Amino acid sequence: MAAEKELVKLLDFWASPFGQRCRIALAEKGVEYESKEENLSEKSQLLLKYNPIHKKIPVLLHAGRPVCESLIIIQYIDEVWPGNAAILPSDPYARAQARFWADYVDKKVYDSGFRLWKLNGEEEQREAKKEFIQIMKILEEELGDKKYFGGETFGLVDIALVPFTSLFYSYEVYSGLNVERECPKIAEWGKRCMERESVAKTLQDPVKICEFAGIFMKKIRAAD
Amino acid sequence: MESPKQNPHDDNSSSSSSSSSSSLKLFGFWASSYTHRVQLALKLKNLPFDYIEEDLADKSPALLLNNPIYKKVPVLLAGGSPIPESLIILHFLDDRFPESTPPLLPAAPRDRALARFWAHFADDRLGPAVAAVFASDGDAQRAAVGRFRDELRLVETELREGAFAGRRFFSGGDRIGFLDIILGCGSYWLAVFEEVAGVKLFEAGEFPRFNAWLRDFEEQEEVKAIIPPFDRLLGYARGLRQVLLGGGGGGGGGNSGEGENVGGVLADE
């Protein structure tokens, strides 16, 4: 069977921004897939079999073979289904820039946001907020006046970052940080992305995410 | 202003200062395995470039201008446009020079995903594990050695019976490729660290496939031309270990971008 027609399955977790990246990419390409919700406190045999190194979601199974790590999965999707909705541009330098900024999001955003959930003292919170704002401002500068990070085309960097927009509300509840006020262009970009069906159908309700953050942080604290 | 210097280990660099769209310029540091990755890729593809040696304690304005986010080497300038991060540079070289051989990344999407996955493993897990051995001593070092061996065992398993079973090189062919470059440019530090840190990372006969691959890698002409001589690396590592254990500044390392793997025990590159 041609590669692109083989069965696609995504091992995922509903609240994971990394899983959502994959869903958005699959939706943009119009690829049908099955989804399996993982219980992260009790990982399935399937997950442990297909991602033994990291034991993390998301994992994409294509014709029974696994692809791990969300940005790697997105590039894989782009390469296997190249026809429509190119996720990476064709110009070599533009591709390098897209990879650079997607990698920057990966290196910075989740960890910095996590500290906003976690840190309690006034000084620590202030530092965490400052760091997060700095990261968002750097991204905002890269976005500039473009419609998307990819220019006119919704692409890799947009997909990498947009799931985090539904975490902004939780960051505000936990730390008082208002992303829209600090980085209005990022907030506007987020709204533009939400006009895309792939994004609107994938992102979770920010209030639900905030509730999840509460449960998640309780578990982390109990484990500490 | 930068002053182009000849890299003694690269006989491919030109000193032309043309700004044609294909002219290449590399900011690097002689002992940096991340820099070696790019130099090796350029050599394999027979692409000429200017090389600028950076003093990491006194970075040039040009470097800071071209990598404002991470301020690290390596940075490639292609026709004046900057590309930082070695993994991204290697992808760029394939994209920008499709007619140059060999292609660094494999052709099939599944193999590309695998190469990228293990490149991340090298940078995020294996590299820091070695760095931890080098930056410690006594009981902490013993524990760090154990953790490093656990990580290396995962690579060995993949070579023995997993995705890379039966392969001479990770590329799957008879020429080294992307993952060989990533894992290889760093693995030559293992012998250096063993000697300088007075630690044995593995016994003879252990991790046979990894060691066979490493010997084969180090025998490649292009690799021999790029990697600095053992005694130079020894001298550098000795100085570094003193700093790391003696409690001076300069150890540790940034927590962003490159600079945290084996050759990047060299903290801030």
Side-chain angles (χ1 to χ4, degrees):
Chain A
M1 207 191 284
E4 55 275 16
K5 298 242 179 352
E6 298 267 4
L7 184 69
V8 180
K9 190 168 186 163
L10 184 70
L11 307 184
D12 196 4
F13 177 67
W14 72 274
S16 164
F18 305 101
Q20 286 158 20
R21 288 170 168 179
C22 304
R23 291 178 183 274
I24 292 168
L26 288 163
E28 285 284 323
K29 295 280 186 179
V31 174
E32 281 177 19
Y33 64 100
E34 277 177 24
S35 182
K36 183 182 184 300
E37 179 73 7
E38 285 286 331
N39 175 355
L40 297 187
S41 326
E42 218 183 294
K43 293 173 181 180
S44 73
Q45 283 307 306
L46 208 65
L47 175 58
L48 298 176
K49 174 183 174 184
Y50 286 118
N51 192 356
I53 304 286
H54 302 302
K55 305 175 174 52
K56 285 182 173 176
I57 58 94
V59 177
L60 187 80
L61 292 174
H62 186 207
R65 294 160 84 193
V67 183
C68 304
E69 294 188 24
S70 60
L71 291 187
I72 293 178
I73 292 170
I74 296 171
Q75 290 179 82
Y76 177 84
I77 291 168
D78 202 32
E79 287 166 10
V80 173
W81 292 277
N84 46 310
I87 292 174
L88 272 154
S90 52
D91 173 71
Y93 186 66
R95 289 164 77 85
Q97 285 188 299
R99 290 192 168 109
F100 177 86
W101 286 106
D103 178 61
Y104 178 83
V105 172
D106 248 14
K107 283 180 163 68
K108 300 286 195 181
V109 177
Y110 180 79
D111 285 348
S112 182
F114 181 77
R115 279 193 275 279
L116 293 174
W117 288 344
K118 181 173 188 193
L119 298 176
N120 274 321
E122 206 180 297
E123 179 61 33
E124 285 185 325
Q125 273 265 330
R126 205 183 3 248
E127 280 306 308
K129 280 201 287 205
K130 198 169 135 195
E131 185 193 51
F132 191 84
I133 290 168
Q134 192 179 41
I135 291 165
M136 282 299 129
K137 280 203 190 298
I138 285 173
L139 287 165
E140 194 176 49
E141 194 183 323
E142 171 57 24
L143 174 67
D145 291 317
K146 302 198 297 283
K147 182 176 182 189
Y148 300 118
F149 283 92
E152 282 303 304
T153 314
F154 182 76
L156 183 70
V157 184
D158 304 283
I159 298 175
L161 183 61
V162 79
F164 289 97
T165 59
S166 43
L167 276 63
F168 289 169
Y169 171 72
S170 70
Y171 297 152
E172 182 169 10
V173 166
Y174 276 81
S175 74
L177 172 66
N178 184 319
V179 177
E180 184 155 4
R181 192 174 52 224
E182 301 287 345
C183 301
K185 282 188 173 159
I186 292 285
E188 278 158 30
W189 160 84
K191 289 183 185 130
R192 277 198 294 280
C193 291
M194 280 296 276
E195 289 168 12
R196 300 183 78 85
E197 196 179 336
S198 64
V199 177
K201 286 200 164 159
T202 299
L203 262 46
Q204 296 288 344
D205 173 11
V207 174
K208 278 177 81 180
I209 291 289
C210 190
E211 284 165 11
F212 168 75
I215 298 167
F216 183 58
M217 291 315 297
K218 268 205 192 98
K219 281 206 180 114
I220 301 247
R221 295 205 165 92
D224 273 348
Chain B
M1 289 309 279
E2 74 224 19
S3 52
K5 290 179 198 164
Q6 290 287 329
N7 176 358
H9 301 290
D10 191 323
D11 57 5
N12 232 0
S13 59
S14 73
S15 38
S16 100
S17 53
S18 94
S19 54
S20 77
S21 64
S22 62
S23 77
L24 298 174
K25 195 175 266 191
L26 177 66
F27 293 84
F29 177 62
W30 73 271
S32 156
S33 53
Y34 298 99
T35 298
H36 299 155
R37 291 171 176 183
V38 181
Q39 289 171 314
L40 180 54
L42 289 164
K43 191 149 196 76
L44 286 166
K45 285 181 172 295
N46 221 23
L47 294 167
F49 64 102
D50 289 334
Y51 177 76
I52 295 137
E53 175 72 15
E54 282 287 328
D55 175 357
L56 298 187
D58 186 18
K59 291 173 179 176
S60 72
L63 173 64
L64 300 178
L65 189 73
N66 283 305
N67 191 2
I69 300 290
Y70 300 123
K71 305 176 174 43
K72 290 182 175 183
V73 295
V75 179
L76 184 76
L77 287 185
S81 300
I83 302 132
E85 300 289 295
S86 62
L87 302 188
I88 294 174
I89 295 171
L90 263 52
H91 276 77
F92 171 79
L93 291 176
D94 266 0
D95 286 342
R96 179 64 183 80
F97 302 101
E99 73 290 351
S100 70
T101 54
L104 301 172
L105 281 126
R110 167 146 176 77
D111 291 329
R112 294 162 74 83
L114 212 56
R116 288 165 178 149
F117 176 88
W118 285 99
H120 286 177
F121 180 86
D123 279 358
D124 298 340
R125 294 262 296 255
L126 196 59
V130 183
V133 173
F134 191 67
S136 61
D137 55 9
D139 285 338
Q141 188 182 61
R142 259 182 290 280
V145 170
R147 278 192 295 275
F148 164 71
R149 291 163 60 82
D150 289 342
E151 303 290 28
L152 189 60
R153 196 164 294 122
L154 295 170
V155 179
E156 179 74 14
T157 301
E158 222 59 32
L159 281 165
R160 186 178 60 243
E161 61 202 53
F164 305 118
R167 294 190 185 190
R168 176 187 176 194
F169 292 123
F170 288 98
S171 64
D174 279 319
R175 292 202 72 184
I176 58 177
F178 179 78
L179 188 54
D180 301 285
I181 296 171
I182 302 310
L183 280 167
C185 288
S187 290
Y188 49 79
W189 284 106
L190 297 177
V192 175
F193 288 170
E194 277 191 322
E195 183 155 334
V196 170
V199 66
K200 249 196 160 311
L201 292 170
F202 31 71
E203 301 301 323
E206 269 202 304
F207 306 114
R209 281 167 188 80
F210 174 81
N211 279 303
W213 162 80
L214 184 57
R215 275 192 304 273
D216 208 346
F217 173 83
E218 287 171 348
E219 279 303 303
Q220 300 304 298
E221 285 311 310
E222 296 89 351
V223 174
K224 287 200 281 202
I226 293 300
I227 309 307
F230 190 73
D231 53 293
R232 263 198 100 193
L233 296 177
L234 267 187
Y236 182 78
R238 281 201 181 100
L240 190 62
R241 182 149 167 93
Q242 262 190 341
V243 166
L244 288 171
L245 293 188
N255 54 12
S256 64
E258 314 201 286
E260 273 185 300
N261 108 354
V262 178
V265 154
L266 310 168
D268 179 23
E269 288 188 42

